[in-house]
Structure formats: C-alpha cells, structure tokens
Amino acid sequence: MAAMISPEFCRTMARYNAWQNRQIQTACAGMTETELRTDRGAFFGSILATLNHLLWGDMIWMSRFDGGPAPRGGIRESPDLCPTFAVWSADRFRMDGRIRQWAGGLHNLDLAGDLVWFSGAAGREVSKPVALCVTHMFNHQTHHRGQVHAMLTAAGQTPGDTDLFLMPEEV
C-alpha cells in the first residue's frame, strides 16, 4: 500500500497551521473578551470556545503522537480550556511550536503502522493507522478554523487568506 502522507506533507501542514493561527490571533486581537465569548451559533458557541476546542484537540492528538502532555478534561470541557484570549494566545503559540518540532523530526517510518489509544469520545480503545490520525488532526484544525473564520467575518473582522498556495515561504 502506498503511503497516505509523507513527513514533508506534515511539515507543510504544520507551517500552514501556525500561519493560519497567527492570522486568527491577529483578527481576534481587536475584539474584547466579551465579543470573543459571545455565542454566535457555532457548534461550540463562541469564537474563544471554538479556539479552545481546537487547541484541546491539537493537544490530545500531539500527546498521542509525541508522548508529551495531554490536556485536562475531555471534549465537553474543551471549550473552557483557556480562561482568556491572552492565555489561549500563549498556549496556542507553544502548541504550534510543538507541532512544528514534531513534524520537523518525522521520518516515513513514523507514519507507518497503527496508533492505539483509549478514546474518551468513543468510550473504548481504538486502533487506527498513524497516517490517518495525523491527517485527521490537520483536517480537524482546518474544519474548526473555518468556523472561527466565518464567525470573525460576521463580526466585522478580517481573518486573512486561507488558501494553502498563498502561504508565505518564510512561515
């Protein structure tokens, strides 16, 4: 079976993730905490709650990929991960660095085989191909950032370009 993804794909997506998160952070920086916490009808409600869930998701997947720390709580608690935008910004910066460092050290062999973990969402042990799980992490990021992008746009903010081909080389 051909490889689903490569280490270079992971490095590109880690760069893309960091670039997009910086743009989201810049767009959010002009908003008040109240505006960031306003329920805007998204699955997790507010911009901050959605950003928290996304950070939580990255933390849980990275704990499985690199053996580092996992976030507290489960999916239900994820919208409350960071109490303020400032805390989220600092934690997001660290997580983006952790993802880039992990991706930078990947080899093809690291993406082969199965990942086995206990899934709180499924309530059982799960075994899936590592490459599928890594792809899911990057897709999960894009999905929820799309929700945040829509909420920011509706709130009058300008979140920036999202097209992968427009990503600056120096990111």
Side-chain angles (χ1 to χ4, degrees), residues 25-97:
Q25 182 180 15
T26 299
C28 289
M31 300 177 77
T32 66
E33 287 286 331
T34 300
E35 290 172 318
L36 292 169
R37 293 176 182 283
T38 298
D39 189 329
R40 299 179 186 275
F43 186 82
F44 290 102
S46 72
I47 291 168
L48 185 58
T50 304
L51 290 173
N52 274 333
H53 170 74
L54 175 51
L55 176 60
W56 179 91
D58 286 350
M59 292 170 77
I60 197 74
W61 281 109
M62 286 306 300
S63 73
R64 295 168 183 156
F65 300 148
D66 71 4
R72 62 175 170 73
I75 291 173
R76 285 192 187 126
E77 295 82 21
S78 68
D80 299 316
L81 182 66
C82 298
T84 66
F85 178 68
V87 172
W88 174 86
S89 293
D91 286 355
R92 181 76 260 175
F93 178 78
R94 283 189 288 278
M95 179 51 54
D96 289 347

Side-chain angles (χ1 to χ4, degrees), residues 9-30:
F9 170 82
C10 295
R11 287 188 274 281
T12 298
M13 294 310 294
R15 285 180 49 236
Y16 177 74
N17 171 64
W19 174 53
Q20 289 299 294
N21 287 332
R22 279 194 299 277
Q23 290 191 150
I24 293 287
Q25 182 180 15
T26 299
C28 289

